Amino acid sequence: MKRKNIKTLERIFCRPVSANIRWSDIEALLLDLGASIEEREGSRVHVDLFGQDRIFHRPHPSPNTDKGAVASLRKWLEQNGVKP
């Protein structure tokens, strides 16, 4: 895994939940983990990883992901054995 993606993973798992993680960094991490990512209608993004499908909302106008999405992503990664 690339160093930048390791840092993103560490930021996802830090407490309290960070609201300063760029969505593009999260996408890069997911791709590095083997995800396939598809654009959907509006700002929705379909992520297929671990044999599971998830829908996330790409943040706008700010590039930073909100705390709720980061917490949801952290829980999903944790359930599938991904930890920093």
Side-chain angles (χ1 to χ4, degrees), residues 23 27 30-31 35-41 43-49 52-58 76:
W23 176 254
E27 280 189 352
L30 293 173
L31 288 170
S36 66
I37 299 175
E38 296 177 18
E39 300 291 324
R40 294 292 173 107
E41 52 283 330
S43 62
R44 291 180 181 88
V45 179
H46 173 259
V47 179
D48 182 11
L49 182 62
Q52 302 171 10
D53 297 320
R54 292 288 192 269
I55 301 292
F56 293 98
H57 291 268
R58 176 175 281 125
W76 184 41

Side-chain angles (χ1 to χ4, degrees), residues 5 8-9 29-30 44 55 62 66 71-72 80 83-84:
N5 293 336
T8 301
L9 186 61
L29 168 66
L30 293 173
R44 291 180 181 88
I55 301 292
S62 169
D66 65 49
S72 174
N80 288 283
K83 295 181 182 179

